């Protein structure tokens, strides 16, 4: 075993599910950003959390205001489109080529063609001590899965642009 410096230790928690979180701004325009710090928190009520950088990103601002968001689970077929939404461009969503459709239980659009969709209502935004990420707690109020989804199609995030499928690492390059 090799000792890993503590500032790299978080990177050892991998691979992680990649999701594209959709939110809306006050003008009802959709925003989307990829996240992989996501985990289940509770079966009943069903709850999840997202770890989001502790600054007012568009996602955080929109979630605080609207108190709703959608977690669209990313599969390999649209991983590059999802990753392109990490760009700091005002027109990143239009440029991504993604299409959206209305949420069923929340007033936030979801990604058309996503094979797992979790529509959420905000429960809490937790700032824990000096932690450099917010803990965004959401209750799942509507969930859907495409029965044709193959587990190996899930885009599991390693770090940066690296993902892993069923044992085979691959890259999804960001288009800027
Ligand atoms: C695959 C991938 C996973 C990411 N995961 C996270 C994450 O878990 N937490 C986070 O704060 N940022 C994460 N990011 C970075 C955000 O997507 C990035 O800060 C984005 O610009 C935020 O967009 P927004 O300002 O529209 O909210 C990730 C980026 C990529 C490409």
């Amino acid at each position: 075993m090799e000792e890993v410096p503590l500032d790299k230790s978080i990177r050892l928690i991998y691979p992680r599910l990649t999701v594209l979180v959709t939110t809306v701004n006050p003008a009802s325009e959709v925003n989307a950003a990829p996240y992989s710090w996501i985990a289940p928190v509770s079966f009943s009520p069903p709850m999840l959390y997202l770890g989001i950088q502790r600054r007012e990103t568009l996602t955080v601002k929109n979630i605080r205001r609207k108190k709703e968001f959608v977690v669209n689970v990313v599969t390999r077929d649209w991983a590059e489109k999802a990753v392109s939404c990490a760009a700091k461009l005002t027109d990143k969503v239009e440029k991504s080529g993604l299409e959206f459709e209305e949420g069923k239980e929340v007033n936030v659009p979801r990604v058309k063609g996503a094979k797992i969709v979790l529509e959420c209502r905000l429960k809490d935004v937790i700032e824990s001590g000096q932690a450099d990420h917010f803990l965004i707690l959401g209750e799942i109020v509507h969930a859907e899965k495409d029965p044709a989804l193959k587990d190996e199609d899930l885009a599991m995030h390693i770090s940066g642009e690296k993902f892993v499928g069923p044992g085979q690492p691959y890259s999804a390059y960001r288009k800027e």
Side-chain angles (χ1 to χ4, degrees), residues 53-76:
Q53 297 164 61
R54 203 160 165 176
R55 62 188 176 85
E56 295 301 307
T57 55
L58 283 176
T59 300
V60 169
K61 272 191 211 158
N62 289 349
I63 290 178
R64 280 191 198 278
R65 239 186 258 119
K66 182 89 182 177
K67 308 210 182 310
E68 292 181 336
F69 58 98
V70 180
V71 170
N72 305 270
V73 175
V74 178
T75 41
R76 197 170 174 160

mmCIF file of all heavy atoms in Angstrom, residues 53-76:
data_model
loop_
_atom_site.group_PDB
_atom_site.id
_atom_site.type_symbol
_atom_site.label_atom_id
_atom_site.label_comp_id
_atom_site.label_asym_id
_atom_site.label_seq_id
_atom_site.Cartn_x
_atom_site.Cartn_y
_atom_site.Cartn_z
ATOM 1 N N GLN A 53 -19.709 22.832 -4.996
ATOM 2 C CA GLN A 53 -18.745 23.853 -4.556
ATOM 3 C C GLN A 53 -19.417 24.988 -3.802
ATOM 4 O O GLN A 53 -20.453 25.489 -4.249
ATOM 5 C CB GLN A 53 -18.055 24.484 -5.756
ATOM 6 C CG GLN A 53 -17.224 23.570 -6.601
ATOM 7 C CD GLN A 53 -16.942 24.217 -7.936
ATOM 8 O OE1 GLN A 53 -16.334 25.279 -8.005
ATOM 9 N NE2 GLN A 53 -17.377 23.584 -9.006
ATOM 10 N N ARG A 54 -18.753 25.391 -2.728
ATOM 11 C CA ARG A 54 -19.376 26.381 -1.845
ATOM 12 C C ARG A 54 -19.209 27.789 -2.405
ATOM 13 O O ARG A 54 -18.446 28.606 -1.888
ATOM 14 C CB ARG A 54 -18.729 26.268 -0.469
ATOM 15 C CG ARG A 54 -19.586 26.806 0.648
ATOM 16 C CD ARG A 54 -19.112 26.212 1.936
ATOM 17 N NE ARG A 54 -19.606 26.885 3.097
ATOM 18 C CZ ARG A 54 -19.370 26.467 4.334
ATOM 19 N NH1 ARG A 54 -18.632 25.380 4.539
ATOM 20 N NH2 ARG A 54 -19.841 27.127 5.355
ATOM 21 N N ARG A 55 -19.866 28.047 -3.493
ATOM 22 C CA ARG A 55 -19.955 29.396 -4.074
ATOM 23 C C ARG A 55 -21.274 29.414 -4.829
ATOM 24 O O ARG A 55 -21.863 28.352 -5.089
ATOM 25 C CB ARG A 55 -18.768 29.703 -4.981
ATOM 26 C CG ARG A 55 -18.650 28.796 -6.180
ATOM 27 C CD ARG A 55 -17.352 29.027 -6.944
ATOM 28 N NE ARG A 55 -17.230 28.091 -8.034
ATOM 29 C CZ ARG A 55 -17.759 28.239 -9.239
ATOM 30 N NH1 ARG A 55 -18.449 29.321 -9.542
ATOM 31 N NH2 ARG A 55 -17.615 27.313 -10.173
ATOM 32 N N GLU A 56 -21.731 30.603 -5.149
ATOM 33 C CA GLU A 56 -23.072 30.682 -5.742
ATOM 34 C C GLU A 56 -23.009 30.373 -7.239
ATOM 35 O O GLU A 56 -23.089 31.274 -8.070
ATOM 36 C CB GLU A 56 -23.716 32.039 -5.440
ATOM 37 C CG GLU A 56 -23.983 32.268 -3.950
ATOM 38 C CD GLU A 56 -24.921 31.220 -3.310
ATOM 39 O OE1 GLU A 56 -26.026 30.999 -3.826
ATOM 40 O OE2 GLU A 56 -24.518 30.632 -2.285
ATOM 41 N N THR A 57 -22.851 29.103 -7.568
ATOM 42 C CA THR A 57 -22.930 28.685 -8.968
ATOM 43 C C THR A 57 -24.378 28.872 -9.419
ATOM 44 O O THR A 57 -25.295 29.025 -8.602
ATOM 45 C CB THR A 57 -22.562 27.196 -9.107
ATOM 46 O OG1 THR A 57 -23.418 26.451 -8.236
ATOM 47 C CG2 THR A 57 -21.115 26.926 -8.748
ATOM 48 N N LEU A 58 -24.581 28.822 -10.737
ATOM 49 C CA LEU A 58 -25.954 28.962 -11.247
ATOM 50 C C LEU A 58 -26.856 27.890 -10.653
ATOM 51 O O LEU A 58 -27.998 28.154 -10.268
ATOM 52 C CB LEU A 58 -25.953 28.843 -12.778
ATOM 53 C CG LEU A 58 -25.480 30.065 -13.546
ATOM 54 C CD1 LEU A 58 -25.440 29.751 -15.035
ATOM 55 C CD2 LEU A 58 -26.419 31.242 -13.280
ATOM 56 N N THR A 59 -26.318 26.669 -10.577
ATOM 57 C CA THR A 59 -27.124 25.566 -10.038
ATOM 58 C C THR A 59 -27.575 25.872 -8.618
ATOM 59 O O THR A 59 -28.757 25.728 -8.282
ATOM 60 C CB THR A 59 -26.305 24.255 -10.071
ATOM 61 O OG1 THR A 59 -25.946 23.971 -11.426
ATOM 62 C CG2 THR A 59 -27.088 23.081 -9.506
ATOM 63 N N VAL A 60 -26.645 26.309 -7.782
ATOM 64 C CA VAL A 60 -26.981 26.581 -6.378
ATOM 65 C C VAL A 60 -27.984 27.733 -6.291
ATOM 66 O O VAL A 60 -28.991 27.639 -5.578
ATOM 67 C CB VAL A 60 -25.707 26.873 -5.557
ATOM 68 C CG1 VAL A 60 -26.054 27.428 -4.181
ATOM 69 C CG2 VAL A 60 -24.873 25.598 -5.420
ATOM 70 N N LYS A 61 -27.729 28.805 -7.040
ATOM 71 C CA LYS A 61 -28.656 29.947 -7.019
ATOM 72 C C LYS A 61 -30.062 29.512 -7.417
ATOM 73 O O LYS A 61 -31.043 29.861 -6.758
ATOM 74 C CB LYS A 61 -28.197 31.001 -8.041
ATOM 75 C CG LYS A 61 -27.218 32.002 -7.484
ATOM 76 C CD LYS A 61 -27.074 33.132 -8.506
ATOM 77 C CE LYS A 61 -25.681 33.694 -8.437
ATOM 78 N NZ LYS A 61 -25.245 34.382 -9.617
ATOM 79 N N ASN A 62 -30.146 28.747 -8.511
ATOM 80 C CA ASN A 62 -31.466 28.323 -9.007
ATOM 81 C C ASN A 62 -32.170 27.391 -8.024
ATOM 82 O O ASN A 62 -33.374 27.483 -7.820
ATOM 83 C CB ASN A 62 -31.326 27.621 -10.367
ATOM 84 C CG ASN A 62 -30.952 28.584 -11.479
ATOM 85 O OD1 ASN A 62 -30.999 29.795 -11.288
ATOM 86 N ND2 ASN A 62 -30.580 28.055 -12.631
ATOM 87 N N ILE A 63 -31.391 26.488 -7.416
ATOM 88 C CA ILE A 63 -32.006 25.543 -6.467
ATOM 89 C C ILE A 63 -32.499 26.291 -5.232
ATOM 90 O O ILE A 63 -33.586 26.036 -4.723
ATOM 91 C CB ILE A 63 -31.013 24.422 -6.067
ATOM 92 C CG1 ILE A 63 -30.763 23.470 -7.245
ATOM 93 C CG2 ILE A 63 -31.528 23.647 -4.861
ATOM 94 C CD1 ILE A 63 -29.760 22.350 -6.967
ATOM 95 N N ARG A 64 -31.711 27.238 -4.748
ATOM 96 C CA ARG A 64 -32.137 28.007 -3.558
ATOM 97 C C ARG A 64 -33.443 28.752 -3.830
ATOM 98 O O ARG A 64 -34.324 28.801 -2.997
ATOM 99 C CB ARG A 64 -31.071 29.043 -3.199
ATOM 100 C CG ARG A 64 -29.877 28.514 -2.432
ATOM 101 C CD ARG A 64 -29.115 29.731 -1.942
ATOM 102 N NE ARG A 64 -27.761 29.500 -1.544
ATOM 103 C CZ ARG A 64 -27.413 29.033 -0.341
ATOM 104 N NH1 ARG A 64 -28.322 28.699 0.546
ATOM 105 N NH2 ARG A 64 -26.132 28.896 -0.043
ATOM 106 N N ARG A 65 -33.537 29.349 -5.032
ATOM 107 C CA ARG A 65 -34.698 30.169 -5.370
ATOM 108 C C ARG A 65 -35.945 29.324 -5.620
ATOM 109 O O ARG A 65 -36.989 29.543 -5.052
ATOM 110 C CB ARG A 65 -34.386 30.967 -6.638
ATOM 111 C CG ARG A 65 -34.487 32.462 -6.438
ATOM 112 C CD ARG A 65 -34.310 33.180 -7.750
ATOM 113 N NE ARG A 65 -33.001 33.753 -7.913
ATOM 114 C CZ ARG A 65 -32.136 33.447 -8.874
ATOM 115 N NH1 ARG A 65 -32.426 32.523 -9.768
ATOM 116 N NH2 ARG A 65 -30.975 34.044 -8.949
ATOM 117 N N LYS A 66 -35.768 28.325 -6.472
ATOM 118 C CA LYS A 66 -36.925 27.562 -6.970
ATOM 119 C C LYS A 66 -37.261 26.372 -6.072
ATOM 120 O O LYS A 66 -38.374 25.870 -6.083
ATOM 121 C CB LYS A 66 -36.574 27.084 -8.389
ATOM 122 C CG LYS A 66 -37.624 26.330 -9.103
ATOM 123 C CD LYS A 66 -38.533 27.238 -9.873
ATOM 124 C CE LYS A 66 -39.610 26.431 -10.539
ATOM 125 N NZ LYS A 66 -40.564 27.251 -11.255
ATOM 126 N N LYS A 67 -36.259 25.901 -5.337
ATOM 127 C CA LYS A 67 -36.411 24.766 -4.407
ATOM 128 C C LYS A 67 -36.791 23.462 -5.114
ATOM 129 O O LYS A 67 -37.385 22.565 -4.533
ATOM 130 C CB LYS A 67 -37.406 25.092 -3.287
ATOM 131 C CG LYS A 67 -37.071 26.403 -2.570
ATOM 132 C CD LYS A 67 -37.481 26.419 -1.145
ATOM 133 C CE LYS A 67 -37.191 27.724 -0.429
ATOM 134 N NZ LYS A 67 -35.824 28.243 -0.580
ATOM 135 N N GLU A 68 -36.454 23.403 -6.385
ATOM 136 C CA GLU A 68 -36.691 22.186 -7.160
ATOM 137 C C GLU A 68 -35.520 21.988 -8.119
ATOM 138 O O GLU A 68 -34.923 22.967 -8.572
ATOM 139 C CB GLU A 68 -37.971 22.312 -8.002
ATOM 140 C CG GLU A 68 -39.249 22.347 -7.199
ATOM 141 C CD GLU A 68 -40.491 22.453 -8.079
ATOM 142 O OE1 GLU A 68 -40.400 22.948 -9.229
ATOM 143 O OE2 GLU A 68 -41.564 22.051 -7.611
ATOM 144 N N PHE A 69 -35.244 20.728 -8.442
ATOM 145 C CA PHE A 69 -34.216 20.419 -9.436
ATOM 146 C C PHE A 69 -34.449 19.005 -9.954
ATOM 147 O O PHE A 69 -35.184 18.226 -9.333
ATOM 148 C CB PHE A 69 -32.800 20.582 -8.858
ATOM 149 C CG PHE A 69 -32.487 19.748 -7.638
ATOM 150 C CD1 PHE A 69 -31.802 18.546 -7.757
ATOM 151 C CD2 PHE A 69 -32.855 20.175 -6.363
ATOM 152 C CE1 PHE A 69 -31.478 17.782 -6.631
ATOM 153 C CE2 PHE A 69 -32.552 19.417 -5.235
ATOM 154 C CZ PHE A 69 -31.863 18.219 -5.365
ATOM 155 N N VAL A 70 -33.815 18.707 -11.077
ATOM 156 C CA VAL A 70 -33.932 17.352 -11.628
ATOM 157 C C VAL A 70 -32.544 16.753 -11.798
ATOM 158 O O VAL A 70 -31.621 17.406 -12.309
ATOM 159 C CB VAL A 70 -34.682 17.350 -12.990
ATOM 160 C CG1 VAL A 70 -34.791 15.927 -13.531
ATOM 161 C CG2 VAL A 70 -36.073 17.963 -12.854
ATOM 162 N N VAL A 71 -32.408 15.514 -11.325
ATOM 163 C CA VAL A 71 -31.164 14.760 -11.469
ATOM 164 C C VAL A 71 -31.362 13.808 -12.653
ATOM 165 O O VAL A 71 -32.182 12.894 -12.592
ATOM 166 C CB VAL A 71 -30.866 13.970 -10.173
ATOM 167 C CG1 VAL A 71 -29.722 12.992 -10.385
ATOM 168 C CG2 VAL A 71 -30.558 14.941 -9.026
ATOM 169 N N ASN A 72 -30.638 14.075 -13.738
ATOM 170 C CA ASN A 72 -30.707 13.249 -14.948
ATOM 171 C C ASN A 72 -29.448 12.398 -14.984
ATOM 172 O O ASN A 72 -28.333 12.932 -15.074
ATOM 173 C CB ASN A 72 -30.734 14.150 -16.185
ATOM 174 C CG ASN A 72 -31.861 15.172 -16.152
ATOM 175 O OD1 ASN A 72 -32.945 14.904 -16.628
ATOM 176 N ND2 ASN A 72 -31.606 16.353 -15.580
ATOM 177 N N VAL A 73 -29.601 11.090 -14.870
ATOM 178 C CA VAL A 73 -28.421 10.225 -14.813
ATOM 179 C C VAL A 73 -27.816 10.107 -16.214
ATOM 180 O O VAL A 73 -28.523 9.837 -17.195
ATOM 181 C CB VAL A 73 -28.791 8.843 -14.225
ATOM 182 C CG1 VAL A 73 -27.597 7.887 -14.280
ATOM 183 C CG2 VAL A 73 -29.274 9.011 -12.773
ATOM 184 N N VAL A 74 -26.516 10.328 -16.291
ATOM 185 C CA VAL A 74 -25.826 10.397 -17.593
ATOM 186 C C VAL A 74 -25.408 8.996 -18.061
ATOM 187 O O VAL A 74 -24.858 8.219 -17.287
ATOM 188 C CB VAL A 74 -24.575 11.298 -17.479
ATOM 189 C CG1 VAL A 74 -23.808 11.338 -18.807
ATOM 190 C CG2 VAL A 74 -24.960 12.716 -17.043
ATOM 191 N N THR A 75 -25.697 8.714 -19.318
ATOM 192 C CA THR A 75 -25.209 7.474 -19.931
ATOM 193 C C THR A 75 -24.199 7.841 -21.025
ATOM 194 O O THR A 75 -24.118 9.001 -21.451
ATOM 195 C CB THR A 75 -26.375 6.639 -20.511
ATOM 196 O OG1 THR A 75 -27.310 7.511 -21.162
ATOM 197 C CG2 THR A 75 -27.097 5.887 -19.406
ATOM 198 N N ARG A 76 -23.440 6.811 -21.417
ATOM 199 C CA ARG A 76 -22.312 7.041 -22.310
ATOM 200 C C ARG A 76 -22.706 7.760 -23.604
ATOM 201 O O ARG A 76 -21.946 8.574 -24.134
ATOM 202 C CB ARG A 76 -21.691 5.671 -22.626
ATOM 203 C CG ARG A 76 -20.334 5.756 -23.188
ATOM 204 C CD ARG A 76 -19.711 4.381 -23.242
ATOM 205 N NE ARG A 76 -18.439 4.469 -23.916
ATOM 206 C CZ ARG A 76 -17.483 3.572 -23.811
ATOM 207 N NH1 ARG A 76 -17.644 2.513 -23.053
ATOM 208 N NH2 ARG A 76 -16.357 3.728 -24.459
#
